[in-house]
DNA sequence: ACCCTGCTTCGCCCTGCCCCGAAGCATCGC
DNA sequence: GCGATGCTTCGGGGCAGGGCGAAGCAGGGT
């Protein structure tokens, strides 16, 4: 039998997220960008030395991966699965917290990124539109696109073939603010990155209000609003 | 602006799961039963006084609810959402943990309960069978059942109407051991409870091997194997 | 070559909290 | 009534670990 006093994997992994500074770092990385240790230190509100220790633990725990480049070290979440856990846990926390220094009434429902795909109002609306019209239908372990869905998405700059190739089993990620699924997986990533590079979406500076929203806010540009309306019949209010 | 040193809801909630004793308690409650403080103390491997403190914190944090009855106090998970978070986090932890006192190779994939519905091999197989035959199709925020699916399920003792009534948005819960969705929500609950009372499934004592599997193991009885084969064409190996 | 910047390692302090034993309340059985 | 059981609150001890400053080690610019 194993040591009964051992933490166990669940507690060990939870402990990695249980520190305020580390939680802020993880929340910041939910924007999908790779951030340097210095940036993360500032975000977390600790001195670089402390941040370095935290990042080492997160990396050793497998929650983040580090990419050294020159004298910078870039940190990002290790996988979509890690992002999903943080998203889910953050949603539960936000709904549970009776102590409410964090108004999750309105700001939290805004459109945002969840690791590398769209979440919030926009993410959910997109998911409903695509599945509601039958352009996309879930099958066990992935998606199939109708011919119309394929051309519609292509018109918005989404390379469906490449997305499908990478679309290892596209869970629809549960959106905690809207309580409906949004589009994750390879397809979600492809859509978000296509629209970001096309200038239909842009990142908002997003202040420093930590935790669930740090560095994750996005907005639809006028171009994007027009494109989504014409291409998908989606009203991005 | 709020106090920048405040833990934040994410860290606070994660901290509740970050203690070994509390994690063991939560894992035990994943079996769906309401457990007394004494049982949980024994499971967690701590003295009743310590367990009482932990349970108070879990309750105050909204992860569990307490139901006093006579001189016993029964504790269970507060919601399906809490269960989903624990399941997801446990899955991530099990796959990440490079330190492996916890073999998650085989035992973890066994059929088990996830809060109040089926998970593991059986849960995933069931989900695939029901959706694969078109008996159940996901629609935005729930399910619809075909006529054939309705009669098939009714034949196994599942009251579909009642299930649907309670089937507030049946996310398919992601199964971490099989990496495929299984059936959660009101329908998943109804199926599991129907088959448990009918004697098609039974709980396994489940040793005390804590964390992800404590008190969650189930097995298909000979009766159940026959019923599932005849009723649903499902081979419960 | 020089310095500057970004990051890490080290040593120390100190808070938080996990644990237990003892005592205090409830509830049930007799 | 009485004692037994289940659980809680209280006080004290001990350890993990989070925080910082100082020093060390890269990589880059000039």
């Amino acid at each position: 039998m194993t040591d009964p006093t051992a933490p166990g994997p669940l507690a060990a992994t939870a402990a990695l997220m249980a520190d305020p500074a580390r939680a802020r770092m993880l929340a910041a990385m939910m924007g999908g960008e790779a951030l340097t240790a210095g940036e993360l230190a500032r975000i977390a509100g600790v001195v670089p030395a402390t941040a370095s220790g935290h990042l080492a633990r997160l990396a050793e725990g497998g929650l983040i991966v580090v990419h050294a480049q020159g004298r910078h070290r870039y940190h990002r979440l290790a996988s979509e699965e890690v992002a999903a856990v943080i998203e889910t846990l953050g949603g539960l926390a936000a709904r549970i917290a009776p102590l409410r220094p964090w108004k999750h009434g309105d700001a939290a429902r805004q459109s945002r990124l969840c690791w590398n795909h769209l979440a919030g109002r926009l993410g959910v609306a997109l998911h409903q539109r695509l599945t509601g019209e039958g352009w996309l239908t879930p099958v066990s372990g992935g998606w199939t696109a109708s011919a119309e869905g394929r051309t519609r998405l292509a018109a918005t700059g989404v390379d469906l073939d490449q997305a499908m190739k990478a679309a290892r089993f596209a869970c629809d990620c549960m959106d905690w603010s809207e309580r409906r699924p949004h589009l994750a997986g390879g397809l979600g990533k492809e859509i978000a990155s296509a629209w970001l590079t096309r200038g239909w979406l842009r990142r908002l500076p997003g202040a420093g209000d930590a935790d669930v929203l740090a560095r994750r806010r996005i907005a639809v540009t006028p171009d994007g609003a027009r494109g989504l309306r014409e291409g998908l019949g989606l009203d991005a209010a």
Side-chain angles (χ1 to χ4, degrees), chain A:
Chain A
M1 206 50 199
T2 54
D3 175 15
T5 70
L10 200 164
T13 306
L16 289 176
M17 312 182 186
D19 175 80
R22 284 198 296 267
R24 281 191 286 267
M25 293 179 177
L26 290 171
M29 287 187 250
M30 284 292 284
E33 296 170 295
L35 301 170
T36 68
E39 289 174 303
L40 288 166
R42 239 173 303 117
I43 290 170
V46 292
V47 93
T50 307
S52 180
H54 284 312
L55 291 169
R57 292 186 63 180
L58 289 174
E60 199 219 359
L63 294 192
I64 66 173
V65 290
V66 190
H67 174 64
Q69 183 175 337
R71 58 179 163 183
H72 295 282
R73 303 194 62 176
Y74 290 94
H75 303 77
R76 58 182 179 80
L77 296 185
S79 70
E80 171 141 21
E81 195 174 6
V82 173
V85 167
I86 296 174
E87 176 81 1
T88 317
L89 184 58
L92 175 65
R95 202 158 323 114
I96 270 181
L99 34 125
R100 68 186 62 212
W102 315 90
K103 54 193 179 302
H104 48 278
D106 270 359
R109 312 172 64 114
Q110 289 182 357
S111 299
R112 63 183 189 276
L113 291 172
C114 170
W115 170 229
N116 56 19
H117 55 266
L118 300 176
R121 283 216 185 90
L122 181 58
V124 168
L126 176 67
H127 181 274
Q128 286 192 311
R129 181 82 184 143
L130 292 180
T131 58
E133 293 288 329
W135 296 338
L136 231 51
T137 43
V139 297
S140 183
W143 299 91
T144 50
S146 70
E148 165 133 18
R150 190 168 283 270
T151 55
R152 291 248 187 190
L153 280 173
T156 69
V158 175
D159 183 350
L160 209 53
D161 291 321
Q162 172 169 347
M164 288 301 182
K165 199 170 49 190
R168 44 157 224 94
F169 100 141
C171 66
D172 11 46
C173 196
M174 189 56 61
D175 195 291
W176 58 264
S177 60
E178 299 291 319
R179 296 189 147 230
R180 279 177 184 70
H182 58 239
L183 210 54
L187 181 54
K189 171 181 181 174
E190 171 67 17
I191 289 178
S193 68
W195 294 354
L196 273 169
T197 58
R198 178 173 272 221
W200 283 13
L201 307 174
R202 65 186 170 83
R203 291 174 178 274
L204 292 180
D209 60 353
D211 254 294
V212 277
L213 281 180
R215 288 183 161 258
R216 297 174 60 185
R217 287 214 188 78
I218 54 168
V220 181
T221 65
D223 265 11
R226 193 178 333 116
L228 291 178
R229 195 172 343 104
E230 292 170 2
L232 300 176
L234 185 66
D235 186 18

